[in-house]
Amino acid sequence: MSDFPPLKNDTFLRAARREPVPYTPVWMMRQAGRYLPEYRALRAMDAFFEVVRTPELATEVTLQPLRRFPLDAAIIFSDILVIPQALGLRVEMVKGKGPHFPEPLAGPADLARLADPDVRRDLGYVMEALTRTRHALEGRAALIGFCGAPWTLMAYMIEGGGSKTFSASKTWLYRHPEASRSLLDRIAEVCAEFLIAQIDAGAQAVQVFDSWAGLLSPEAFAAFALPPLRAIADRVKAVHPEVPCIVFARGAFYALDALADSAYDVIGLDWTMDPREARRIVGTRAALQGNLDPCILYAEPDVIRAEVRRMLEAFGPVGHIANLGHGMHPDHDPAHAAVFVEAVHAFSRRTS
Ligand code: CP3
């Protein structure tokens, strides 16, 4: 991979390794998306998964937020649901409703319907987008690859979309624990291969999104969600020990200690978690990422700046990657995202 342009801004990678940085690096989950008029304009022409599957377009959308804000990392434009697609399930993105699986997994017998994917072929468009984006970035920011976590993907594959209670997927855990474990292990294997391929294609860090971790009891998380999450990081680290792995298990504050004991280098916090308490639990075992409540971006700029300062003080200058506690919302004002990013840089420069 030596033909990639040299990384001129390594603050994100340094913070992930808990090395000293001149300022706190910052990026935003869902930084490319509908709150940007240039994304809406591009999306008006193509269906969501068409954009995802077209490397030129995915690269363009990945770069859009970096043209507006001095972000320290880019995240490749794609979706966690490309893995269920590679496993043979149909996924549609329904306007105003979100993802929809016309034929979700109805029971353990449906596991036989799942394909055995060749990740580098079936998801080759993601790798191509990463390689293109890494070149186009010219070293201005680090490039993050990602995938969904096994539990979150299993939940979508069984629910067929979003859900209030996720009772169908949780029913599997309690009625069909063996089938659940076998599905989770199968997804984990695909996740690990996919992340390794993404790194080979140019990703400089990878993040695993366990967006629905908070639906599980601590016991269910430990029994079902954690083992495949651990397996993914172990496999990626065996091949690419130097590449930071980030885990974002939304709502799973009870799992901080266990996650700190895993191969993940960085633990993402949602906004319900107290940074000082997280630091106390995690210690020097991992860097932390997060965790401003995305709704603070609806406030006036001075309020955003004050909240950023509070966040930076709570995390401290070492081993912190600033981010939101979840993704950007479609009705966020890009000008307020700019205030957030600039405030992180300004305050951390002053205090470090
Ligand atoms: O900028 C980035 O963060 C990179 C791109 C990215 C998208 N989805 C683009 C997207 C990333 C990292 C994701 C991850 C993702 N996708 C997650 C984990 C993060 C989280 O939010 O918890 C989840 C749960 C999904 C599944 C998914 N995809 C949902 C629930 C939705 C619909 C929600 C909505 O906002 O409508 C999507 C669609 C989606 N993924 C959009 C984008 C920009 C909007 C679709 C559109 O353009 O119509």
Side-chain angles (χ1 to χ4, degrees), residues 124-149:
Y125 56 85
V126 178
M127 274 61 88
E128 200 185 322
L130 280 159
T131 304
R132 279 174 177 271
T133 305
R134 177 79 181 268
H135 282 290
L137 278 169
E138 295 176 325
R140 278 171 290 151
L143 179 58
I144 305 171
F146 72 91
C147 71

Side-chain angles (χ1 to χ4, degrees), residues 30-32 34 39 43 48 75 78-79 146 156 211 326:
R30 296 284 189 102
Q31 64 192 20
R34 285 168 300 179
Y39 173 79
R43 262 285 276 118
F48 174 72
I75 183 162
S78 181
D79 199 85
F146 72 91
Y156 275 111
S211 302
H326 198 201

Side-chain angles (χ1 to χ4, degrees), residues 27-28 30-31 62 73-77 142-146 207 209:
W27 66 283
M28 297 172 292
R30 296 284 189 102
Q31 64 192 20
T62 304
I75 183 162
I76 195 67
F77 185 77
L143 179 58
I144 305 171
F146 72 91
Q207 175 157 326
F209 286 91

Side-chain angles (χ1 to χ4, degrees), residues 33-109:
R34 285 168 300 179
Y35 75 104
L36 293 177
E38 57 271 34
Y39 173 79
R40 292 198 299 271
L42 187 142
R43 262 285 276 118
M45 325 273 269
D46 288 282
F48 174 72
F49 282 113
E50 233 16 77
V51 180
V52 167
R53 283 196 200 104
T54 309
E56 295 84 345
L57 296 180
T59 296
E60 167 58 25
V61 175
T62 304
L63 296 174
Q64 285 177 344
L66 281 103
R67 293 195 190 109
R68 280 180 180 258
F69 320 118
L71 295 158
D72 298 292
I75 183 162
I76 195 67
F77 185 77
S78 181
D79 199 85
I80 63 166
L81 301 175
V82 299
I83 285 184
Q85 288 176 332
L87 285 164
L89 296 181
R90 240 175 359 112
V91 187
E92 295 155 1
M93 203 52 77
V94 182
K95 218 181 157 85
K97 221 186 118 202
H100 173 67
F101 291 60
E103 294 155 320
L105 301 177

